[in-house]
Amino acid sequence: MQQQKNKHNALRRAYLRTFESEDGETVLKDLEARCGYNAVSHVAGDPHETAFREGQRSVILAIHAIMRGSGD
């Protein structure tokens, strides 16, 4: 259990080093825009496109969760 916690903490620190740097912040903002982080992912009448967009968005949600310390 402790080994898993250490691994998770190391991963979180790596994400923070990556995305809190000046370049990392720029890249994260770009990814947020490209992946619809702040947009509605639903496309009326097209469940496949909705699922695709939500899949993209979920990656950004995961990055933010890990950086907060709440991601798995």
Side-chain angles (χ1 to χ4, degrees):
M1 183 68 160
Q2 185 63 32
Q3 184 179 13
Q4 184 178 11
K5 185 176 179 179
N6 290 341
K7 185 177 177 182
H8 178 76
N9 286 337
L11 182 62
R12 179 174 182 260
R13 287 191 304 272
Y15 270 73
L16 290 171
R17 280 192 309 272
T18 300
F19 290 110
E20 286 186 341
S21 70
E22 187 175 338
D23 286 341
E25 287 179 4
T26 299
V27 169
L28 186 55
K29 293 286 184 208
D30 180 64
L31 289 171
E32 289 172 354
R34 289 176 186 268
C35 296
Y37 177 62
N38 292 312
V40 175
S41 56
H42 180 261
V43 177
D46 193 341
H48 298 288
E49 183 65 21
T50 297
F52 178 78
R53 290 182 182 188
E54 190 57 26
Q56 288 181 308
R57 187 172 169 273
S58 72
V59 172
I60 307 306
L61 292 171
I63 290 170
H64 282 284
I66 290 168
M67 290 172 61
R68 282 192 313 272
S70 60
D72 292 302

